[in-house]
Amino acid sequence: NENRGRLSEGENREVNLISSMTESPKGKQNDTPKANSRRGFETYTEDVGIQPNQRTKYIEQNGWRTRMGGRGLKNGGNRVSEVVDNNTITFYFSSKRWVRHTKDKFDIVYSFSLSPVTILAAGNLYKKKNHVPHIVHCVDLWPESVVSTGRVRKNSLTYKILYRWSKSLYNAADEILIGSPSFEKYFRNVLKLTDLKLTYIPQCSLITDCKESPIEYDKDHFNIVYCGNIGYLQNTHLIPESMANVKNKVKFHIIGMGPCTDKLKQEIHNYGLEDKVIYYGPMNAKKASQYFVNADAFFISLADSEYVGSSIPNKMMMYMAFAKPIIGVIKGDGRKVLQDAKGNVIAEENVENIAQNIEKLSSLNIAQRKEMGKNNLSYYNEHFHENVICKQIEKILFSNKGI
């Protein structure tokens, strides 16, 4: 998908955007002219006899595995079709094909490196073809990301292939903008890219304004919100047992989906917490923002791992913009940010300590919590605001090309 625009307001510089076809949590295409492939969830729901007009409801009820092509369900999809349907492979080939055929000339290439790292291939090809700098903004480490989720083992052939491929793609760039300071250790110590230029610039967190009426919570309870992936890396499996140990009047609201959705729902049921831990399923950003405005606090967690678990979660930056305290179960760069912001409580990665910190925060008076939220917002505006980060990126781009 190709779009053109301006770099920033007041700057007469043109930006050409090459991206994959985006997909929402419910599997709908977002802001794209047309679908370029048949989605796995469409194939699955059709195979089990679900009518098109009932597809959205069925996906919402059956969650992650249906959306991802039925993996894990009887006669479900497979990992290969899932990857193809989500543009991981198709973008690799289509973007390189665009580079080979385009006659457009640009001064510099900027690649935003989420998963997978293969999205950098087109930028490297354009650099080689046109002899221009290629700047990569890395916010997801490869192949460490697939190791941390348990999909690939470090002693496997798959890891060795991904390691060499990732290292080659990163090394072809002129400069890497790292989304967390600790990423430098990974590039230097693991990938052994000792001469590659690295600069810390955090990932830009785009805030969705709540234009609809915000959700009103039960004011007799302290209301915590978690919104994001439901997975082991996010420690969502610790939430039900932690809440079972909380004696204060607290409700925990969970929005999202992921590989641990079924386990989360089962644990909520096993502990009899349906009234205390409320799972809403996936939502788009606009709808989810309705739940943020009146929340008393947010919850953020990353499993303790040497590199990915030490990063700054993008969701944490977004939480800070809503001027609320955060309960953080996190190490490394993320923990340092929360401590420096002075608007949060830090918990260790165990249910007893999480429960203690939930009770600690919920026992504070409203004025104390408002002061914490104010501190978080101030820190966000100074370090993570869109305007601040965009200026930092522009400075890097212009210094590399001298424009």
Side-chain angles (χ1 to χ4, degrees), residues 110-375:
Y110 169 82
S111 293
F112 189 70
S113 179
L114 293 162
S115 286
V117 72
T118 52
I119 64 176
L120 303 182
N124 287 335
L125 181 61
Y126 190 92
K127 169 191 171 176
K128 182 178 180 180
K129 176 184 175 182
N130 296 281
H131 308 288
V132 298
H134 182 202
I135 309 301
V136 170
H137 200 160
C138 174
V139 298
D140 199 5
L141 293 174
W142 267 68
E144 187 66 22
S145 290
V146 288
V147 173
S148 64
T149 58
R151 294 179 182 178
V152 174
R153 295 183 179 179
K154 278 195 173 182
N155 59 353
S156 67
L157 177 60
T158 301
Y159 174 81
K160 292 177 182 178
I161 293 172
L162 290 175
Y163 175 89
R164 292 178 182 176
W165 199 2
S166 301
K167 181 175 180 177
S168 175
L169 288 166
Y170 285 132
N171 197 39
D174 293 274
E175 183 174 354
I176 305 285
L177 312 182
I178 51 176
S180 286
S182 60
F183 281 11
E184 181 173 1
K185 294 181 182 178
Y186 187 78
F187 278 94
R188 304 302 190 208
N189 301 338
V190 179
L191 295 177
K192 307 298 182 183
L193 296 173
T194 56
D195 297 326
L196 188 60
K197 187 176 182 181
L198 303 175
T199 304
Y200 165 59
I201 296 182
Q203 179 181 354
C204 189
S205 182
L206 300 179
I207 307 302
T208 302
D209 293 330
C210 181
K211 296 181 180 179
E212 305 295 329
S213 299
I215 298 299
E216 295 291 340
Y217 295 109
D218 179 359
K219 295 183 179 179
D220 290 333
H221 288 73
F222 184 80
N223 292 279
I224 304 170
V225 170
Y226 170 80
C227 178
N229 187 51
I230 310 296
Y232 286 107
L233 186 60
Q234 292 76 27
N235 285 322
T236 50
H237 60 287
L238 298 178
I239 294 173
E241 188 177 354
S242 298
M243 283 296 294
N245 291 320
V246 172
K247 306 303 180 185
N248 293 1
K249 297 177 72 174
V250 177
K251 288 191 176 183
F252 206 118
H253 307 267
I254 302 175
I255 302 166
M257 62 193 304
C260 295
T261 296
D262 291 343
K263 179 179 176 63
L264 174 69
K265 292 193 289 187
Q266 185 61 50
E267 288 293 294
I268 292 172
H269 175 73
N270 291 344
Y271 284 101
L273 295 172
E274 287 86 354
D275 292 335
K276 291 183 67 176
V277 182
I278 302 95
Y279 174 66
Y280 298 93
M283 295 181 190
N284 60 43
K286 185 181 296 185
K287 186 175 182 181
S289 67
Q290 295 178 254
Y291 289 78
F292 297 166
V293 177
N294 290 327
D296 294 305
F298 292 111
F299 179 84
I300 190 74
S301 180
L302 272 183
D304 187 11
S305 63
E306 189 173 2
Y307 297 107
V308 175
S310 297
S311 63
I312 303 173
N314 186 254
K315 190 70 67 176
M316 188 178 79
M317 305 177 201
M318 184 192 72
Y319 287 163
M320 297 177 84
F322 280 87
K324 308 288 183 180
I326 299 170
I327 300 164
V329 184
I330 195 167
K331 303 283 188 179
D333 299 334
R335 174 175 286 207
K336 185 177 186 306
V337 167
L338 293 182
Q339 290 172 334
D340 290 347
K342 296 180 173 56
N344 314 284
V345 295
I346 308 296
E348 301 303 323
E349 198 175 317
N350 62 75
V351 294
E352 293 81 9
N353 196 253
I354 293 172
Q356 289 171 8
N357 278 278
I358 289 175
E359 292 193 335
K360 175 183 176 181
L361 185 58
S362 62
S363 297
L364 298 178
N365 61 48
I366 294 176
Q368 289 173 311
R369 298 199 304 265
K370 280 189 174 181
E371 184 63 25
M372 294 172 72
K374 182 181 176 181
N375 290 343

